[in-house]
């Protein structure tokens, strides 16, 4: 099992009030799965994805990634795991505005200490793979939304992570571009990557082999 979550609880402190956001969540995801997490706004989707992505901790229960217990990691450990195992794609792309497409895709390799020349070659290859071979020297604000998301996907893939986590990856895109981006994520899954897509669009959820629905912090 790539991801095994058992009876997980997570709450946020809001002033003096404790708000329980995830309640008794249990999920198993196998390597190579294509999974959607669907639910209304505020249901806890991003919170769950952030825990899976080791960007956030949880209160009770357990989360195992490839057999390792992921609990109370310090930031250095979490960053090391993320860099090795996980690629992220976000609704608003999260590209660095002062860096070109190529430089954005080079970044995760820079964190790994890979030499600059290799970084450039691999980033170029990955951008070609996502259909942006002719845009490598563009800055994010010189790219369309769909192109920005392709850069983000190239960046997520370039370290050969096992798991791609996408939080509403088509949320800021028009229908046609959304389909293109979804097709790209499907291709990536067909190549063997485990892909987890958070969405509130049933059309997108339906395409995935496994659908997880979350309501008020509970899996239904
Ligand atoms: P979704 O992604 O499904 O829209 P979220 O996981 O972002 O939902 O949020 C679930 C609930 O947790 C919401 O009620 C939200 O307001 C609350 N929440 C999310 N992040 C925080 C935070 N950092 N502090 C306090 N409450 C939060
Ligand atoms: Mg969200």
């Amino acid at each position: 099992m790539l991801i095994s979550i058992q009876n997980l609880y997570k709450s946020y402190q809001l002033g003096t009030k404790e708000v329980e956001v995830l309640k008794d969540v249990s999920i198993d995801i196998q390597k190579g799965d294509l999974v959607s997490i669907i639910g209304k706004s505020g249901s806890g989707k991003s919170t769950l994805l952030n825990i899976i992505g080791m960007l956030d901790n949880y209160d009770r229960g357990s989360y195992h990634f490839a057999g390792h217990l992921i609990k109370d990691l310090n930031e250095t450990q979490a960053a090391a795991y993320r860099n090795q195992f996980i690629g992220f794609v976000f609704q608003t792309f999260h590209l660095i505005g002062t860096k070109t497409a190529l430089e954005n895709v080079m970044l995760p390799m820079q964190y790994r200490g890979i030499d600059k020349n290799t970084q450039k070659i691999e980033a170029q290859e990955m951008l070609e793979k996502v259909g942006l071979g002719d845009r490598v020297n563009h800055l994010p604000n010189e790219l369309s939304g769909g192109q920005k998301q392709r850069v983000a996907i190239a960046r997520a893939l370039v370290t050969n992570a096992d798991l791609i986590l996408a939080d509403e990856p088509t949320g800021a895109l028009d229908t046609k571009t959304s389909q293109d981006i979804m097709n790209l994520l499907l291709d990536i899954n067909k190549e063997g990557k485990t892909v987890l897509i958070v969405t509130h669009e049933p059309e997108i959820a339906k395409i995935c082999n496994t659908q997880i629905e979350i309501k008020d912090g509970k899996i239904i």
Side-chain angles (χ1 to χ4, degrees):
M1 206 60 72
L2 185 67
I3 291 170
S4 181
I5 292 175
Q6 300 288 327
N7 310 108
L8 183 140
Y9 288 79
K10 165 80 180 175
S11 47
Y12 286 114
Q13 197 75 34
L14 268 184
T16 54
K17 242 179 62 188
E18 185 135 310
V19 184
E20 206 157 63
V21 178
L22 295 176
K23 302 161 194 164
D24 201 21
V25 167
S26 298
I27 303 174
D28 282 327
I29 296 171
Q30 296 194 44
K31 199 164 160 26
D33 272 356
L34 174 62
V35 181
S36 65
I37 299 176
I38 190 157
K40 293 208 178 99
S41 175
S43 56
K45 304 182 297 297
S46 294
T47 302
L48 179 58
L49 205 75
N50 289 344
I51 290 171
I52 293 173
M54 305 172 201
L55 291 166
D56 204 354
N57 211 345
Y58 53 94
D59 304 323
R60 278 187 288 146
S62 66
Y63 165 29
H64 286 86
F65 184 93
H68 301 280
L69 178 66
I70 305 300
K71 174 100 182 121
D72 301 324
L73 298 183
N74 66 41
E75 188 41 45
T76 312
Q77 288 170 316
Y81 270 126
R82 283 197 299 270
N83 191 262
Q84 188 176 354
F85 296 118
I86 303 172
F88 291 91
V89 178
F90 297 97
Q91 177 173 2
T92 50
F93 322 119
H94 293 202
L95 299 176
I96 296 180
T98 53
K99 290 189 182 286
T100 64
L102 191 78
E103 289 164 345
N104 269 282
V105 178
M106 287 164 65
L107 260 190
M109 293 184 281
Q110 187 180 320
Y111 297 142
R112 279 191 177 187
I114 291 169
D115 76 89
K116 199 129 205 155
N117 209 32
T118 310
Q119 287 178 29
K120 276 189 186 151
I121 293 166
E122 307 225 326
Q124 173 80 33
E125 250 173 46
M126 203 47 78
L127 283 164
E128 279 167 17
K129 186 181 150 85
V130 300
L132 282 184
D134 56 348
R135 293 286 187 282
V136 295
N137 293 319
H138 287 239
L139 291 168
N141 67 13
E142 298 165 343
L143 298 169
S144 70
Q147 290 170 337
K148 280 185 236 187
Q149 200 57 302
R150 285 173 191 276
V151 175
I153 291 171
R155 181 183 56 187
L157 289 173
V158 79
T159 53
N160 203 20
D162 294 318
L163 175 66
I164 303 297
L165 298 179
D167 195 350
E168 313 249 9
T170 63
L173 306 175
D174 62 67
T175 310
K176 169 73 177 71
T177 311
S178 292
Q179 280 167 1
D180 294 343
I181 292 296
M182 271 310 293
N183 285 334
L184 183 56
L185 290 170
L186 293 182
D187 288 344
I188 289 163
N189 173 251
K190 284 197 193 101
E191 288 172 13
K193 303 252 181 244
T194 311
V195 178
L196 232 131
I197 302 171
V198 161
T199 182
H200 59 260
E201 298 168 64
E203 301 308 309
I204 288 178
K206 264 187 242 155
I207 301 171
C208 300
N209 324 117
T210 307
Q211 292 161 35
I212 296 170
E213 189 170 352
I214 185 162
K215 192 178 176 191
D216 299 329
K218 282 191 159 169
I219 306 283
I220 55 172

